[in-house]
Amino acid sequence: MRRHEVVIVGAGLAGQRAALAAVEAGRDVAVVTKLHPMRSHSGAAQGGINAAVGAEDSVDTHIYDTVKGSDYLGDQDAIEFFCREAGPTVVEMEHFGTIFSRADDGSLARRPFGGAGFPRTIYAADRTGLALLQALYERLGTESFTTYEEWDLLRIVVREGRVQGIVAIDRTTGALEEIAARSVVIATGPAGRVYGRTTNAHSCTGDGIAIAYRAGAELKDMEFVQFHPTALLESSILITEGARGEGGILKNAQGERFMARYAPHVLDLASRDVVSRAIITEIQEGRGFPGGYVHLELMHLGRERIESRLEEICDFSRKFAGIDPVTQPIPVMPAQHYMMGGIGTTIRGETNVRGLYAAGEAACVSIHGANRLGGNSLLETLVFGKQAGTAAAEYAARAAPPLLHESDLAPVRTRLDALSAKSQGEDPQAIRTAMQATMDGRVGIFRSFAELAKALEELRALKTRYENVRVVDTASAFNLNLTDALEVGHMLDLAEVITVGAIARTESRGAHSRTDYPKRDDAQWMRHTIASQSREGPKLSYSAVAYTRWDPKERVY
Ligand SMILES: Cc1cc2nc3c(=O)[nH]c(=O)nc-3n(C[C@H](O)[C@H](O)[C@H](O)COP(=O)(O)OP(=O)(O)OC[C@H]3O[C@@H](n4cnc5c(N)ncnc54)[C@H](O)[C@@H]3O)c2cc1C
């Protein structure tokens, strides 16, 4: 058995920032990651990171925009803290070596993003995530800690009301391993693959969220799922909001700039839930292109600007859609992009389980509430990654030694053995595809009781089928058939929590839009959904939203 004081699971921006904080606090730190750190989904982030820097912008405006963007479900104390940390965080990342794009006068260049009252999104062309990840990876690399790469978290061991360590599988050998730890930080990132149409990488399967849920952690606001308005038609590859930030416009099949109907003031730069609903409405009312999509036009920006500021977008459009954005419109459709919900935490990354912390997209603080603003998520990984790493280190310094036993492996081993011992059983791929079809079709941008109830029925039938899932591949090393089976199990749990929360929430707020309850209902629903695991499925309770200064208003853009 291995032993470390603090174990961080996940090596994207949140995990690496947490690791840096815990190492700097003097703790013995291990980072466990199923991917090479530089392959984390953070590296796919394109558009930028928000910070109110410069004389014309203000932290208060950033706070207000985020509160409004959240449709008043974000916790205002957390949002205030978050926005105040933004400037110092971006400057720190620059000092770590991030090469941000520059304005003509040499200051940090900023682009307008959806729902923001000021051009506040700092960027490195359209590769911001990669630039940040690279700088942080190099900075963390100068410190002393242990990395377990290509290790998959399988279980968080909780005994006597506190975390004792984790069980993981080393994919390179197939061996099950235990790490005893005084505190554990979950930074395992997104769960977008619960949906079929998603901008998220294949690895974004929500493992850490589901495993924490099984270990007793409460999940918060899982029904709030963000759909990004502009994903490339067939592949669902993201076309950054930065494309509209640079001046790109959306048009329907009649050549109309339709956003004028839905957001007369800010048009294409309304927040993502508003733009996604507008696109679907255009298509449903017959103004989309045949097959159901709209156009994103960049042509009027000119070759120089498109190719320098949106180089990757050009590349993706040319390679994956066979069109050149310099001369042709880009066919786009909304796709799942981000989970506002996650493991419920305090501002310091603490969960309801002692010794268990969470940060990044796997967590829900909550600063995004019912709808996240573009550019706030990269910032979240760094601000709250640091908080969680610091808190986990402080706790580890005073916690008793962990009580992890060799026998803690046993239930995991029994489960894995059972998967491959079957002579007949369900193919994990078939279950995954069916789950994604259910989520795409019935738990999407517009929702209704009838569709959600049907989705829950289908998901529960899939969970029953999953009990009989079979792993055919007998390889020890890199058994991707096994990985697939485990990931589908995680996603089914999360799909169920999303759907149960969506059925219960009889209002429309942010990204959760119920056709049978089209209005926001502050009297009843200005509260967070909390889901805990029980034998009967997700058990829901509710908690208050933290207020400081901003009273709820109708949200218009
Ligand atoms: C295409 C795309 C573009 C985006 N663009 C922007 C943008 O411009 N601005 C913005 O603010 N936000 C953007 N976002 C959102 C933002 O990038 C993410 O929310 C954020 O980077 C997530 O970081 P993270 O550290 O939480 O997770 P990730 O970077 O996904 O890292 C997760 C880590 O967890 C590890 N892991 C997962 N499961 C396990 C397991 N079972 N065992 C061990 N390790 C595990 C992985 O190996 C990985 O290292 C974008 C997202 C996407 C998908």
Side-chain angles (χ1 to χ4, degrees), residues 9-14 32-35 40-42 44-48 151-153 187-190 199-200 207 238 337-338 360-361 372 375-378 381:
V9 189
L13 284 171
V32 174
T33 174
K34 71 177 180 181
L35 305 173
S40 304
H41 190 64
S42 291
Q46 302 170 352
W151 280 35
D152 235 319
L153 171 73
T188 47
T199 66
N200 286 192
D207 310 353
L238 178 73
H337 183 56
Y338 184 86
E361 192 166 337
R372 169 179 78 93
N376 269 354
S377 175
L378 286 177
T381 63

Side-chain angles (χ1 to χ4, degrees), residues 74 77 120 132-133 199 224 277 285 315 329 372 468 550:
D77 54 352
R120 178 181 302 132
L132 292 167
L133 198 60
T199 66
F224 293 101
R277 281 194 291 273
E285 292 180 0
D315 219 32
R372 169 179 78 93
N468 192 31
W550 286 273

Side-chain angles (χ1 to χ4, degrees), residues 92-114:
E92 180 180 71
M93 287 309 297
E94 189 181 39
H95 291 174
F96 288 172
T98 312
I99 301 174
F100 290 112
S101 296
R102 296 282 167 179
D104 290 342
D105 65 359
S107 62
L108 291 171
R110 288 163 292 165
R111 54 169 54 126
F113 245 49

Side-chain angles (χ1 to χ4, degrees), residues 233-498:
L233 188 57
E234 271 157 20
S235 58
S236 296
I237 291 174
L238 178 73
I239 303 296
T240 172
E241 194 161 288
R244 280 169 289 135
E246 293 293 336
I249 53 180
L250 290 162
K251 287 200 179 158
N252 63 20
Q254 296 168 4
E256 284 176 302
R257 189 175 187 180
F258 59 87
M259 279 313 298
R261 263 198 284 285
Y262 306 90
H265 306 294
V266 298
L267 301 163
D268 306 272
L269 283 174
S271 72
R272 289 176 178 174
D273 54 336
V274 175
V275 184
S276 291
R277 281 194 291 273
I279 293 175
I280 298 298
T281 306
E282 288 299 300
I283 293 168
Q284 283 175 349
E285 292 180 0
R287 295 185 294 276
F289 288 91
Y293 62 93
V294 296
H295 275 164
L296 174 63
E297 291 192 357
L298 304 180
M299 297 93 81
H300 55 284
L301 302 176
R303 178 180 297 277
E304 204 283 319
R305 181 141 177 213
I306 299 173
E307 289 187 342
S308 65
R309 298 280 183 88
L310 301 167
E311 192 186 341
E312 207 169 58
I313 295 311
C314 289
D315 219 32
F316 289 154
S317 305
R318 287 168 186 156
K319 282 201 184 114
F320 295 101
I323 68 108
D324 184 353
V326 173
T327 53
Q328 294 166 289
I330 309 175
V332 292
M333 252 291 279
Q336 190 284 344
H337 183 56
Y338 184 86
M339 296 294 180
M340 268 70 77
I343 304 166
T345 72
T346 64
I347 291 175
R348 305 199 71 219
E350 298 145 326
T351 70
N352 61 308
V353 177
R354 206 141 53 91
L356 185 65
Y357 299 77
E361 192 166 337
C364 176
V365 180
S366 123
I367 48 162
H368 308 305
N371 173 67
R372 169 179 78 93
L373 294 188
N376 269 354
S377 175
L378 286 177
L379 180 62
E380 171 189 29
T381 63
L382 297 168
V383 168
F384 293 109
K386 181 177 172 185
Q387 288 299 308
T390 304
E394 279 172 18
Y395 172 81
R398 56 184 158 78
L403 307 167
L404 197 65
H405 309 312
E406 298 292 338
S407 58
D408 289 322
L409 270 186
V412 181
R413 175 157 292 135
T414 309
R415 209 174 105 231
L416 297 199
D417 287 349
L419 292 176
S420 39
K422 296 190 181 98
S423 57
Q424 278 188 336
E426 292 279 351
D427 171 17
Q429 256 310 319
I431 298 181
R432 178 192 292 240
T433 311
M435 170 194 67
Q436 291 174 335
T438 293
M439 295 304 282
D440 283 347
R442 307 194 193 278
V443 196
I445 294 176
F446 287 111
R447 302 165 171 187
S448 67
F449 175 77
E451 289 294 322
L452 292 169
K454 189 86 182 81
L456 189 59
E457 196 184 306
E458 290 173 2
L459 291 170
R460 292 205 163 139
L462 288 171
K463 286 190 85 161
T464 306
R465 277 175 61 189
Y466 182 76
E467 284 169 16
N468 192 31
V469 77
R470 178 183 175 217
V471 173
V472 181
D473 190 346
T474 53
S476 307
F478 294 107
N479 187 336
L480 295 183
N481 188 204
L482 174 62
T483 306
D484 206 20
L486 295 169
E487 288 177 348
V488 173
H490 302 145
M491 292 192 289
L492 280 172
D493 277 0
L494 299 183
E496 186 188 24
V497 175
I498 292 168

Side-chain angles (χ1 to χ4, degrees), residues 187-215:
T188 47
R193 287 278 155 181
V194 168
Y195 288 81
R197 278 192 55 78
T198 174
T199 66
N200 286 192
H202 287 277
S203 57
C204 298
T205 48
D207 310 353
I209 311 174
I211 293 167
Y213 174 62
R214 286 175 204 149

